[in-house]
Amino acid sequence: QVQLVESGGGLVQPGGSLRLSCAASGFTFSRYEMGWHRQAPGKQRELVASITSNRDTNYVDSVKGRFAISRDNAKNMVYLQMNSLKPEDTAVYYCNVEVAYGSNWSAYWGQGTQVTVSS
């Protein structure tokens, strides 16, 4: 079965950096677009960054120039390097994939990792 396990969250001061990791299993990782989403208290979950199987990337405007998504297909890992962190980046960060089963697609999420940016 599909599993996504995030790690790397924590408490960091404004201006600091964190690197989130997501270990994926149960599907052909290299074929699928991967995404990082986040959800802050009282807010809707939003897509932060995504990376296609061809390594094309996309970012929400608020993180452009500060965050970088990457993938290692040999290790079935996707990463989110977060620099110049701001208090408004505080959220639970989730790894996500949508896997095709014939003509149907199923979305999978990890358990999330908490990122807190505070002095």
Side-chain angles (χ1 to χ4, degrees), residues 26-68:
F27 62 103
T28 307
F29 179 81
S30 60
R31 294 183 182 176
Y32 288 95
E33 180 172 339
M34 300 296 298
W36 282 99
H37 298 244
R38 67 185 178 188
Q39 187 165 21
K43 295 189 177 181
Q44 288 189 328
R45 191 173 296 190
E46 67 169 349
L47 176 65
V48 175
S50 61
I51 183 166
T52 69
S53 57
N54 293 326
R55 291 186 165 82
D56 294 324
T57 58
N58 183 56
Y59 300 92
V60 67
D61 285 347
S62 60
V63 308
K64 285 180 180 177
R66 300 188 298 122
F67 289 13

Side-chain angles (χ1 to χ4, degrees), residues 95-114:
C95 184
N96 161 261
V97 66
E98 293 189 5
V99 177
Y101 299 96
S103 58
N104 296 319
W105 291 78
S106 293
Y108 296 90
W109 300 86
Q111 82 287 352
T113 186
Q114 176 71 48

